[in-house]
Amino acid sequence: MEFADIIRSDDTNNVEDRSKERHIPIIEVLRNYNDTGKEYIRVVVGENAIHPNTPEHHIEYIELYGRTKMMDTVTIGRVTFGPGVKPDAIFGLVNFGKYREFCAIAYCNVHGPWQNCIEIREQLRLTAGCRREKCLQEGFGV
């Protein structure tokens, strides 16, 4: 089952394109965040088109999931928001290299859940002990 299968609702299907920009969570990978040597994931809703933050219409929470290279889905965390609070969250990660994809779900109290996913492509590094022929056989560029 995919994330999109879980969160489908009539509310999200009946929204105009401009409103979709206000609801879709934007995912950003923060490598070596603040020179700490650690990786974080930032998720923000309404960065390009401001989402209302009123008691009547606001983002209640953001959830972040990771899909590992073995295709297991891991819950990374959830941040809740109240009216008047900008839906912007930073999630710390342990063992960033095991993930191949991150998916965020943002829940609007009026329009329901919204999702976005990003795929992570790690740069493969050659080791000092790798001979040119073996590296080429294994698909590494030299």
Side-chain angles (χ1 to χ4, degrees):
M1 179 177 292
E2 295 297 319
F3 286 103
D5 297 330
I6 296 170
I7 68 165
R8 280 201 179 105
S9 76
D10 290 336
D11 290 335
T12 56
N13 292 332
N14 295 327
V15 175
E16 63 187 56
D17 287 341
R18 177 76 175 140
S19 185
K20 288 180 183 179
E21 288 181 43
R22 295 181 184 143
H23 291 92
I24 295 175
I26 305 299
I27 305 168
E28 178 184 6
V29 176
L30 305 173
R31 295 195 182 258
N32 191 23
Y33 184 63
N34 285 343
D35 293 322
T36 61
K38 298 179 182 178
E39 286 83 20
Y40 291 84
I41 300 294
R42 178 179 180 234
V43 182
V44 62
V45 178
E47 187 169 54
N48 298 329
I50 306 276
H51 187 279
N53 285 321
T54 64
E56 300 79 29
H57 188 185
H58 61 275
I59 298 296
E60 288 188 7
Y61 63 81
I62 294 173
E63 292 178 343
L64 182 66
Y65 298 88
R67 188 161 287 147
T68 67
K69 293 176 181 174
M70 301 302 293
M71 296 305 289
D72 295 322
T73 300
V74 177
T75 303
I76 295 173
R78 179 182 196 172
V79 177
T80 57
F81 306 95
V85 179
K86 181 181 178 183
D88 189 341
I90 295 180
F91 298 88
L93 296 175
V94 176
N95 197 2
F96 180 83
K98 78 176 185 178
Y99 296 101
R100 66 177 305 215
E101 181 180 36
F102 292 101
C103 293
I105 296 175
Y107 185 82
C108 173
N109 71 323
V110 173
H111 298 109
W114 296 78
Q115 80 152 22
N116 191 19
C117 297
I118 61 167
E119 189 174 338
I120 304 301
R121 295 191 183 264
E122 287 293 319
Q123 294 294 327
L124 300 175
R125 294 186 182 103
L126 299 177
T127 62
C130 182
R131 289 191 356 231
R132 179 177 171 78
E133 299 80 22
K134 182 168 176 44
C135 291
L136 290 174
Q137 286 173 353
E138 294 179 7
F140 292 101
V142 178

